Amino acid sequence: MSCTLRLSFPTHAFESSRKTRSNGRATTTQTPRHFHILCLASQPKLEEGEDADHVRYFLDEESRLQTFLEEDSLVTNGFQDMHASDTGLLWLPDTVKDFILPAGFPGSVSDDYFQYMLLQFPTNAVGVGSFSGTTAAASAAAIRWVSKDGLGAVGRLLIGGWFGNLFDDDPKQWRMYADFIGSAGSIFDLSTALYPAYFLPLASLGNLAKAVARGLKDPSNRVIQNHFAISGNLGEVAAKEEVWEVAAQLLGLALGILILETPGLVKAYPVLVLTWMSMRLLHLWLRYQSLSVLQFDTINLKRARMLVKSHVLHATIPGCVACNREEKILSWQRFMKPRITFGVSLEEMVVGMKSISTVKALLKLYANEKYILFVNQQHRDFEVFVSFKVGATSMSVLRSVWQTYWLHENWDNSDNVFHQLAQSILQMEDRFEDFIEQLNRAGWDTHQINLRVPKDITIDDSGPV
């Protein structure tokens, strides 16, 4: 008797393609967004070339996960529930909704958000178009905007659409990157003096870089301002920061004029570049220092790693001040050790193993968790894959991080992977409550955990549809 692992999802949710092997032959399948997993009796394979609405993965004792398409109008209840709240936007493609609306919309924002944005859009459009002048002047302005300023506007548009969900997690990092990219834009501006024949493309690239920098800077600043406004006085905090910023800009302008008025400096381009570079490096260093003093009590992935590691190794939790001081602002999650890859499909997770037995064992092992974690056996360095189930939250991500660090510290490279996974789950069940209690005692906001569950692949093992 063979067993079927059925993963159902609508084909309109496909986003990317992947090559897999079935019967020794390379075929192209597509990566789904939402899965529904059912352990059923063996089902007959579908004929190739049939029209299909869903994908079914078949597992047997001799083969790996194999992908087939089936005709079926079935849509999982979990998938319906996730989209029941935005029925008014069903006509809008998911990619467009993800681009223009906050993650988790409409539940992640207030009820008046969408109506406000609908009215803001024509307001801003009319504001751009309401200028006076002759037809020739208008045409010249339009050409200039498209060729130079338009690139900058497109840059800000793409930043807001593609990376909007990143700023709440790590505003320090993105504020720092904004200054790096802005510095690159200034380099293009300086190059126009050396290559006047290429003024327009260089100026356009400079504007693009500065616009991208502004697209990173403004949202990051708002998160930082919200961190300061503990009395609900966000507007006043923002206004006073504007006062500080304008005063600093006036002082910097005065110093710039004083430097440029120095005899011989204006005509000495190398000296001008050296002066700019010195000031810019000083600016970047000061920016890094200012971001380092921020003391967030929220838990993002960087701080979660530090807190979990301390608890696993020493059974203690560092406070907000110490943890923020040690946080590496410029580090990337993908380069941190141990390596954690979130949002991995079950197909990728069990590659090279007896699929049916492995998947059944994983489903049983993580029956009480909202995620499935497995150690990558194909990688030389220690690495874990994590898949998330429907209903997973930031706390689920935090639990997977805790389990990862315990495994990393106690891993013995033996073949008995499931035994070690079971041990890590037992340790987590025994110690995770103490971890949360210590977080609260140390002043961390356990209600504000910025650990996002990847939305690309969601497993629903709730049972038969």
Side-chain angles (χ1 to χ4, degrees):
M1 174 71 70
S2 61
C3 180
T4 299
L5 178 68
R6 179 175 176 177
L7 305 91
S8 300
F9 45 87
T11 53
H12 63 72
F14 289 149
E15 287 188 337
S16 61
S17 297
R18 172 190 298 128
K19 288 187 176 179
T20 60
R21 290 193 173 272
S22 177
N23 299 326
R25 180 164 52 92
T27 60
T28 301
T29 60
Q30 297 195 314
T31 302
R33 277 172 166 249
H34 301 279
F35 289 76
H36 191 89
I37 297 181
L38 303 173
C39 287
L40 306 174
S42 180
Q43 300 288 342
K45 297 182 180 180
L46 301 176
E47 297 295 331
E48 292 186 6
E50 284 187 349
D51 294 333
D53 294 324
H54 295 80
V55 169
R56 180 178 293 175
Y57 283 85
F58 286 90
L59 300 175
D60 54 42
E61 296 294 351
E62 288 80 21
S63 64
R64 303 175 184 175
L65 282 171
Q66 300 183 42
T67 305
F68 296 89
L69 297 179
E70 64 175 354
E71 286 188 1
D72 196 348
S73 59
L74 181 64
V75 180
T76 65
N77 293 332
F79 188 81
Q80 289 175 333
D81 293 341
M82 282 184 288
H83 292 272
S85 58
D86 60 342
T87 53
L89 297 175
L90 289 178
W91 58 273
L92 201 62
D94 288 345
T95 52
V96 177
K97 285 192 285 189
D98 292 343
F99 190 82
I100 66 175
L101 297 173
F105 176 87
S108 61
V109 293
S110 59
D111 294 338
D112 52 0
Y113 173 83
F114 188 62
Q115 186 177 5
Y116 175 80
M117 297 309 298
L118 285 179
L119 293 172
Q120 277 289 97
F121 186 82
T123 301
N124 293 331
V126 172
V128 171
S130 59
F131 60 89
S132 59
T134 63
T135 303
S139 299
I143 293 173
R144 177 179 177 274
W145 188 91
V146 170
S147 61
K148 186 162 129 1
D149 298 333
L151 283 176
V154 170
R156 292 180 62 196
L157 176 71
L158 297 179
I159 288 294
W162 285 340
F163 304 105
N165 62 342
L166 300 177
F167 301 106
D168 292 310
D169 301 340
D170 202 345
K172 295 183 187 179
Q173 182 185 70
W174 296 110
R175 183 63 186 91
M176 195 69 220
Y177 286 150
D179 272 8
F180 282 127
I181 297 174
S183 300
S186 298
I187 293 175
F188 285 116
D189 289 344
L190 284 173
S191 301
T192 57
L194 292 177
Y195 306 99
Y198 300 98
F199 175 83
L200 185 58
L202 289 173
S204 299
L205 289 174
N207 265 21
L208 175 61
K210 291 177 181 178
V212 170
R214 184 180 174 187
L216 297 174
K217 168 192 169 184
D218 290 348
S220 301
N221 269 352
R222 289 188 179 95
V223 177
I224 294 172
Q225 290 169 352
N226 190 61
H227 160 72
F228 292 139
I230 61 173
S231 302
N233 55 340
L234 179 59
E236 184 180 13
V237 168
K240 297 306 180 183
E241 183 175 343
E242 187 78 8
V243 172
W244 284 70
E245 184 174 350
V246 172
Q249 288 175 349
L250 291 174
L251 177 61
L253 181 62
L255 291 175
I257 294 174
L258 180 63
I259 293 174
L260 291 175
E261 289 297 322
T262 303
L265 183 59
V266 175
K267 295 182 180 180
Y269 183 79
V271 178
L272 179 63
V273 171
L274 182 61
T275 303
W276 173 86
M277 186 177 297
S278 301
M279 293 296 101
R280 202 64 191 177
L281 290 175
L282 178 61
H283 166 83
L284 293 173
W285 180 80
L286 290 171
R287 177 71 68 197
Y288 189 92
Q289 297 303 313
S290 66
L291 294 173
S292 297
V293 303
L294 292 175
Q295 299 174 13
F296 286 98
D297 61 356
T298 55
I299 301 174
N300 63 4
L301 188 54
K302 288 181 183 177
R303 293 189 282 274
R305 282 175 167 271
M306 297 171 65
L307 295 170
V308 164
K309 182 177 181 180
S310 177
H311 187 259
V312 169
L313 292 179
H314 311 295
T316 60
I317 294 294
C320 299
V321 176
C323 187
N324 278 270
R325 185 172 56 246
E326 296 176 11
E327 182 180 356
K328 294 179 175 59
I329 295 176
L330 298 177
S331 61
W332 283 79
Q333 137 74 8
R334 67 179 60 184
F335 299 118
M336 295 180 181
K337 299 295 181 68
R339 186 173 180 180
I340 309 174
T341 304
F342 296 107
V344 178
S345 68
L346 284 177
E347 182 183 6
E348 295 171 312
M349 187 176 289
V350 300
V351 64
M353 305 185 69
K354 286 285 187 179
S355 299
I356 180 63
S357 58
T358 302
V359 171
K360 289 176 65 176
L362 286 173
L363 291 173
K364 182 178 179 180
L365 187 62
Y366 290 95
N368 296 325
E369 298 293 340
K370 284 297 182 180
Y371 69 90
I372 295 176
L373 182 149
F374 196 67
V375 179
N376 182 9
Q377 302 293 292
Q378 310 297 320
H379 203 274
R380 178 179 300 177
D381 297 328
F382 183 86
E383 178 184 16
V384 299
F385 290 152
V386 184
S387 294
F388 291 97
K389 302 178 183 179
V390 170
T393 63
S394 294
M395 190 62 71
S396 307
V397 182
L398 186 59
R399 289 177 69 88
S400 71
V401 174
W402 199 100
Q403 184 185 358
T404 298
Y405 271 83
W406 191 92
L407 279 169
H408 181 254
E409 295 300 327
N410 296 275
W411 190 251
D412 62 4
N413 290 317
S414 68
D415 293 333
N416 198 346
V417 177
F418 279 90
H419 174 72
Q420 296 186 73
L421 290 176
Q423 286 294 109
S424 65
I425 293 176
L426 289 175
Q427 287 292 324
M428 180 175 61
E429 291 175 348
D430 183 55
R431 299 177 57 187
F432 193 79
E433 185 176 348
D434 174 71
F435 173 61
I436 297 298
E437 290 177 357
Q438 288 201 41
L439 287 176
N440 289 319
R441 288 199 300 268
W444 292 99
D445 186 357
T446 54
H447 300 289
Q448 189 69 24
I449 301 177
N450 293 322
L451 302 175
R452 297 185 181 274
V453 178
K455 60 184 178 180
D456 296 332
I457 299 174
T458 306
I459 302 171
D460 185 356
D461 63 347
S462 56
V465 180

